[in-house]
Structures are given as structure tokens and as C-alpha cells.
């Protein structure tokens, strides 16, 4: 299990050893949101009655797209972005582990994994990716 | 109690002007703006001193760009305000000018849009709330994801979206103010460099520079200034709304469009089927499909078939993006929403030249902007 310092921002580990997103739930309207913030519920405006909630990195692949071009030199294309409807409610967009669309399909189950990414300077960091693979 | 535009005094567009939208160049921005403003003043046949307020839609020029540009018309002390609302900056500036006149604050007001490309930081990146995308998801990928979902749901094809670009390129090819003035075949659109998902280069709007200006006035000012009444176009409705939490979270632009357009049509007492001219926020080809369905011009999943039948072509059922839209006319940000009003006005006057849609009486202009915001105006030739 990665150290907390090695975790991507906004991610933690659930008790089952799988990554979870640091989300929130509004105690007034029940809206589940990601990421967690203290400014107020964006559905009803509640500020006091909100609670942090870990959102398991599991859901359904809503859509995906291969990005072939990116203006930033630090982001190497191509890569695949997925839209995931989490079991816990929110919809997120995230980089997929897959480098080809061959095994991707809308409606497939998908889950998050933590991936070590090697940087050109020799350092490495951990990123959250989603995949439709069966390596969970 | 709040009021709609229909409950206030009538407002008319009396003058329009443009500087061609173009790739970023060495042209100073005052040249872009002054060209459009002088064309609008000449079109209305009024002088600069008759304009009582100015709203400038701009998102990219920086602080306080307006007076240092318009001082070259001669000092008049007229109030000038910059309006920033992302891609809807120009539409929002037009709305402010309309409100000035409708409320009785002013008799004659001007909305302008002038911008040049520059690197700006979206404020959302400084809210202190992080995100997962690490900068990887830019607008064309947002719409590529929505396109993939649409194709899956309605058995649509990449050709369905590409045909939007083909139509709008043809319109832009006969618009001397358009950034892209070249007819494109379906094969050219589809074979262009792939950008994201099924979106190719020609299905993504060019961000360039340009200028647009529109003058609005009250009936009293029209009579006093001797403006040709037959060329005045009534503004029936002006609605600006922002995003809330929707059930279908990802296509928030379409839901926001649906709500904003329906409110505007209700306030104008106009049915969607009565529209002759629609200028849409087609920054990406798929958006035209989404928004025509959200507007009620087409049923869910039906817009591609109507497009193939040329229902949205000039002299079809309704001319959509007769200017070329953002895809061909271009999207210089601040000018875009004002430029839509220019196109709708010229169409409703019957002055759109080779792009004229026959018997055009009622038009709608629609812009969305990052945030998300949506601005819709309905105009009619009395």
C-alpha cells in the first residue's frame, strides 16, 4: 500500500486496500460530490452539515476518447480519457490505464488503480488511473 | 417584482459592424474595434456623440482596454464598461446594452466585442479545489466524450458530426468576415488531423481575433435621430442563465441551453418551429447537434437525419449558423456573441447577400461559456 505522501491529491486508500476518492455528502440535501470542499454544497448551499465521504473507485464507463493533441509540452499525447459514473454517485473524468480503445466499451465496469509514473528527470510519482481490466 | 424584456419599453438593433475574424496578427486591437464601431455607426447613420453607453465584451485583452480604443472616436464622456463572461462575453455585453435602453437608463447604447488571443488562466484553477484531470481535459475532449456517448445512444456516426462542419464551412466560404472562407468536403473534414475522439481539426473552431459592434436604441431615439425604421430589428427576449446541478451531469451545456432557450422563447412568445435563423455556439461540430435537440428544433437523436436532409441549410427549414458559425466564421471570444447579433440582424433585414435565408423574420442567437453560462437572444423584424 502506498504511503499517504505518495498518494495523488484527492485520493486515499479504503480499508479493503483499494483507492477511494475524497468526496463529500451533504447532510441537508443528500448530494454526493467530488472533490471534498468546505465552501458549501453546490446543490443546496449548505455549509455546516456536510461530511467527508470516501468514494470507492468503481463505476461504469460512460464514455471515452483518445486525445491525440495537447498544447502542453508536459502532457504527452496520445492518451485516453474516460468518463466514469461512480457507484457512489458522482461522474468523473480521468485518464485511463489503457493505451488503446480495443478493450473499452461504454457500459463496461471500470475501477481505479494507482500507477507509478516515471518522470524524465528520473523521479517517479503515483497517479490514479481507471481501467476496465480485471486486475483488481 | 422582476420583469421580462417584453414588459419594458421596446429595444431595436439599429446598426451593425464587423472587422473580419482572422488569425492572430500584428493588427493592434483598436484597429479591430474601431473598424467595427465605425461600420456600425455608418450602418445606423448616427454619429458617435449619439451613443450614450458602451459595453465591451472581452475576455483576453486585459484590464481597461475600452477607452484607450474608443478615445479615437473623439471624447464624449460616455460610460464604458468591460464585460467578461468567457465565450458569452459579447452576448452578455449585448444584454447589458439592451437592458440600458429597455429600462430607460439610456436611449442609445452600443455593445462591442474586441479580443486578441492571449494566454489567460481560468479562475477555476485558483479556487483551491483540486481535480483529477491534471490539465489533460480541455474543451475539445469534453465534447469528444459527449460525442461518443451520443453515438452510442443514437447509433450516430462520425459523419453525422462532420456534416455540421461541411455545412458551416460552406456558409463561411461566402462570408467576407469569416476566418475560414473555404468550402470543405466531407472527406476533407473527416481526414483532417484527429484532435480528440472523433473530432478532427475542421470540427474545432479557430480562436482568432476580430471586432464586432451593435447599436441598440429606443423608439424615441429612432425617431429623433432619423434612423430608417424599416431596418430596425426588435429584440424580443434576452435571457442569461448559469449552470446548476443536473441529473445528467456531463452534458450540462445542453441542459443549460434547453432551459435558457425555452425561457427566452417563452418570453418572446415564439415557438422553436417559428425560428428562421439560429446562430449557435458551435465551437465543436457536435455542439450544433446537441443544442438543436435541446432547443426543440429536432427530437432527441433526430438532428443528424434532419441535417442530412439539409433542414438546417440556408433556405432549409431553418438556417443554422448561416454566418459559418464559430466553426467557420471563427471564435475570437469577445466579438463572437456580438457578431451573432450582427448576422441575425442582417438576415432579418434581408441584407445577408448570397447567404440570405429567404423570408427570414425571427432569429435566435445562442452562446455558452465556461462556467457554465448561457445567453440567448430572440430578435424579430416587425
Amino acid at each position: 500500500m502506498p504511503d499517504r505522501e505518495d498518494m495523488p491529491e484527492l485520493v486515499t486508500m479504503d480499508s479493503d486496500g483499494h483507492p477511494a476518492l475524497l468526496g463529500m455528502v451533504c447532510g441537508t440535501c443528500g448530494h454526493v460530490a467530488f472533490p471534498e470542499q468546505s465552501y458549501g454544497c453546490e446543490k443546496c448551499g449548505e455549509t455546516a452539515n456536510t461530511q467527508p465521504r470516501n468514494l470507492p473507485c468503481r463505476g461504469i464507463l460512460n464514455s471515452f476518447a483518445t486525445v491525440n493533441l495537447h498544447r502542453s509540452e508536459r502532457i504527452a499525447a496520445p492518451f485516453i480519457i474516460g468518463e466514469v459514473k461512480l457507484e457512489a454517485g458522482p461522474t468523473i473524468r480521468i485518464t485511463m490505464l489503457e493505451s488503446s480503445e480495443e478493450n473499452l466499451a461504454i457500459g463496461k465496469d471500470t475501477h481505479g488503480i494507482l500507477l507509478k509514473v516515471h518522470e524524465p528527470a528520473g523521479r517517479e510519482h503515483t497517479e490514479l488511473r481507471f481501467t476496465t481490466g480485471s486486475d483488481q | 417584482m422582476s420583469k421580462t424584456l417584453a414588459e419594458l419599453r421596446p429595444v431595436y438593433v439599429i446598426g451593425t459592424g464587423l472587422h473580419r475574424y482572422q488569425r492572430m496578427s500584428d493588427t493592434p486591437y483598436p484597429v479591430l474595434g474601431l473598424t467595427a464601431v465605425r461600420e456600425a455607426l455608418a450602418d445606423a447613420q448616427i454619429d458617435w456623440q449619439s451613443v450614450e453607453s458602451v459595453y465591451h465584451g472581452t475576455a483576453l485583452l486585459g484590464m481597461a482596454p475600452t477607452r484607450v480604443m474608443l478615445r479615437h472616436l473623439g471624447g464624449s464622456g460616455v460610460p464604458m464598461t468591460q464585460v467578461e463572461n468567457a465565450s458569452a462575453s459579447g452576448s452578455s455585453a449585448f444584454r447589458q446594452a439592451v437592458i440600458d435602453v429597455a429600462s430607460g437608463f439610456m436611449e442609445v447604447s452600443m455593445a462591442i466585442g474586441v479580443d486578441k488571443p492571449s494566454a489567460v488562466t481560468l479562475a477555476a484553477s485558483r479556487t483551491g479545489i483540486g481535480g483529477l484531470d491534471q490539465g489533460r481535459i480541455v474543451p475539445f475532449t469534453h465534447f469528444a466524450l459527449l460525442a461518443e456517448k451520443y453515438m452510442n445512444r443514437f447509433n450516430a456516426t462520425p459523419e453525422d458530426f462532420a456534416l455540421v462542419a461541411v455545412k458551416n464551412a460552406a456558409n463561411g466560404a461566402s462570408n467576407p468576415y469569416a476566418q475560414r472562407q473555404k468550402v470543405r468536403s466531407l472527406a476533407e473534414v473527416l481526414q483532417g488531423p484527429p484532435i480528440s475522439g472523433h473530432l478532427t481539426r475542421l470540427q474545432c473552431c479557430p480562436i482568432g481575433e476580430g471586432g464586432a459592434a451593435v447599436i441598440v436604441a429606443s423608439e424615441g431615439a429612432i425617431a429623433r435621430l432619423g434612423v430608417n425604421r424599416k431596418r430596425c430589428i426588435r429584440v424580443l427576449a434576452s435571457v442569461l442563465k448559469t449552470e446548476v446541478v443536473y441529473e445528467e451531469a456531463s452534458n450540462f451545456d445542453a441542459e443549460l441551453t434547453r432551459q435558457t432557450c425555452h425561457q427566452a422563447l417563452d418570453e418572446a412568445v415564439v415557438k422553436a418551429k417559428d425560428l428562421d435563423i439560429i446562430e449557435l455556439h458551435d465551437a465543436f461540430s457536435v455542439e450544433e447537434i446537441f443544442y438543436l435537440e435541446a432547443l426543440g428544433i429536432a427530437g432527441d437523436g433526430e438532428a443528424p437525419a434532419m441535417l442530412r436532409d439539409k433542414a438546417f441549410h440556408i433556405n432549409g427549414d431553418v438556417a443554422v449558423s448561416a454566418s459559418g458559425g464559430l466553426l467557420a466564421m471563427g471564435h475570437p471570444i469577445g466579438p463572437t456573441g456580438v457578431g451573432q447579433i450582427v448576422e441575425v440582424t442582417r438576415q432579418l433585414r434581408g441584407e445577408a447577400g448570397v447567404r440570405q435565408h429567404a423570408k427570414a423574420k425571427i432569429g435566435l442567437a445562442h452562446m455558452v461559456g465556461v462556467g457554465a453560462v448561457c445567453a440567448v437572444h430572440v430578435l424579430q423584424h416587425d
Side-chain angles (χ1 to χ4, degrees):
Chain A
M1 182 180 299
D3 295 333
R4 185 69 196 93
E5 290 72 25
D6 196 33
M7 300 283 287
E9 189 185 12
L10 310 172
V11 179
T12 188
M13 297 300 280
D14 254 346
S15 55
D16 61 3
H18 294 128
L21 298 171
L22 296 168
M24 61 185 283
V25 60
C26 175
T28 299
C29 72
H31 181 57
V32 180
F34 172 80
E36 182 187 9
Q37 42 81 17
S38 59
Y39 303 157
C41 171
E42 67 173 315
K43 187 168 186 181
C44 73
E46 175 63 57
T47 53
N49 188 20
T50 63
Q51 298 293 326
R53 176 177 286 186
N54 288 356
L55 310 176
C57 290
R58 294 190 302 271
I60 300 293
L61 188 63
N62 258 352
S63 189
F64 56 91
T66 298
V67 181
N68 293 294
L69 182 75
H70 201 290
R71 71 173 66 170
S72 171
E73 291 179 359
R74 66 180 178 82
I75 297 176
F79 53 88
I80 297 177
I81 295 292
E83 179 180 293
V84 178
K85 173 72 171 172
L86 295 174
E87 290 175 2
T91 297
I92 62 167
R93 271 114 177 240
I94 191 158
T95 307
M96 300 297 292
L97 179 66
E98 285 82 355
S99 56
S100 142
E101 296 183 2
E102 189 177 357
N103 293 317
L104 298 180
I106 290 175
K108 265 193 161 183
D109 289 339
T110 181
H111 62 272
I113 63 165
L114 293 172
L115 181 73
K116 291 281 188 191
V117 176
H118 299 279
E119 299 172 14
R123 292 188 300 258
E124 65 177 25
H125 66 277
T126 305
E127 287 186 7
L128 179 67
R129 303 281 174 92
F130 268 60
T131 178
T132 59
S134 56
D135 56 337
Q136 188 168 28
Chain B
M1 181 182 288
S2 59
K3 288 185 163 72
T4 67
L5 191 62
E7 297 171 285
L8 301 171
R9 68 174 180 171
V11 180
Y12 295 85
V13 176
I14 65 168
T16 64
L18 290 168
H19 183 290
R20 182 186 173 182
Y21 299 176
Q22 59 194 23
R23 283 172 180 253
M24 186 165 69
S25 72
D26 294 333
T27 307
Y29 82 86
V31 173
L32 305 174
L34 290 167
T35 300
V37 168
R38 287 182 168 126
E39 186 174 290
L41 291 167
D43 181 52
Q45 295 189 294
I46 67 171
D47 60 27
W48 166 238
Q49 300 297 327
S50 301
V51 176
E52 299 171 1
S53 64
V54 175
Y55 293 94
H56 176 184
T58 172
L60 306 175
L61 288 178
M63 186 184 290
T66 312
R67 199 199 73 82
V68 293
M69 169 174 58
L70 297 186
R71 64 181 170 168
H72 300 292
L73 296 165
S76 69
V78 62
M80 300 177 187
T81 306
Q82 288 77 225
V83 180
E84 190 277 303
N85 220 354
S87 290
S89 295
S91 310
S92 301
F94 177 69
R95 176 176 158 81
Q96 292 306 122
V98 167
I99 290 170
D100 256 13
V101 173
S103 66
F105 250 52
M106 304 292 175
E107 296 292 329
V108 181
S109 184
M110 178 182 281
I112 63 174
V114 186
D115 256 333
K116 288 178 72 75
S118 68
V120 294
T121 303
L122 291 179
S125 68
R126 291 180 288 168
T127 58
I129 301 172
L132 291 172
D133 75 336
Q134 299 163 310
R136 291 182 171 179
I137 304 176
V138 293
F140 53 64
T141 295
H142 166 65
F143 287 106
L145 290 165
L146 295 177
E148 188 72 25
K149 272 203 292 192
Y150 185 94
M151 289 169 58
N152 182 263
R153 182 178 175 198
F154 295 114
N155 291 318
T157 66
E159 288 77 9
D160 291 331
F161 302 132
L163 281 172
V164 173
V166 173
K167 170 179 69 70
N168 293 355
N171 293 345
S174 53
N175 183 352
Y177 297 99
Q179 180 167 341
R180 289 175 172 164
Q181 297 184 21
K182 190 171 179 183
V183 173
R184 299 288 188 172
S185 68
L186 180 60
E188 281 180 288
V189 172
L190 287 170
Q191 289 166 10
I195 304 295
S196 188
H198 295 286
L199 295 178
T200 54
R201 184 180 70 83
L202 292 173
Q203 294 178 75
C204 303
C205 69
I207 305 290
E209 62 186 27
V214 166
I215 304 168
V216 293
S218 67
E219 288 179 319
I222 290 168
R224 175 171 53 82
L225 296 170
V227 176
N228 182 351
R229 185 70 179 75
K230 291 179 181 174
R231 297 180 70 247
C232 298
I233 301 299
R234 174 91 181 263
V235 185
L236 294 179
S238 172
V239 177
L240 179 66
K241 294 178 78 71
T242 59
E243 176 189 354
V244 297
V245 175
Y246 302 116
E247 287 293 318
E248 214 291 74
S250 56
N251 203 347
F252 48 83
D253 293 308
E255 180 56 24
L256 179 57
T257 290
R258 188 186 69 77
Q259 295 183 5
T260 311
C261 285
H262 287 204
Q263 183 177 329
L265 291 172
D266 285 348
E267 291 186 10
V269 196
V270 167
K271 304 286 187 194
K273 65 178 176 54
D274 297 330
L275 295 169
D276 302 301
I277 298 291
I278 300 175
E279 286 289 307
L280 277 182
H281 181 277
D282 60 333
F284 303 95
S285 58
V286 297
E287 289 186 90
E288 186 167 305
I289 299 294
F290 297 155
Y291 303 148
L292 286 172
E293 294 180 3
L295 180 49
I297 294 292
D300 289 348
E302 295 175 355
M306 293 178 70
L307 177 63
R308 285 194 296 274
D309 291 342
K310 302 189 185 305
F312 310 134
H313 285 55
I314 292 170
N315 293 323
D317 295 348
V318 51
V320 180
S321 296
S323 66
L326 280 62
L327 284 173
M329 183 157 178
H331 185 24
I333 311 295
T336 311
V338 179
Q340 288 184 326
I341 301 298
V342 173
E343 175 68 16
V344 171
T345 297
R346 292 177 178 180
Q347 287 282 348
L348 299 185
R349 286 173 169 173
E351 297 176 353
V354 295
R355 289 177 295 103
Q356 181 64 48
H357 181 72
K359 298 178 181 173
K361 295 294 180 193
I362 305 176
L364 179 146
H366 156 274
M367 283 294 291
V368 294
V370 169
V373 303
C374 182
V376 174
H377 291 91
V378 181
L379 292 86
Q380 182 178 35
H381 194 190
D382 288 342

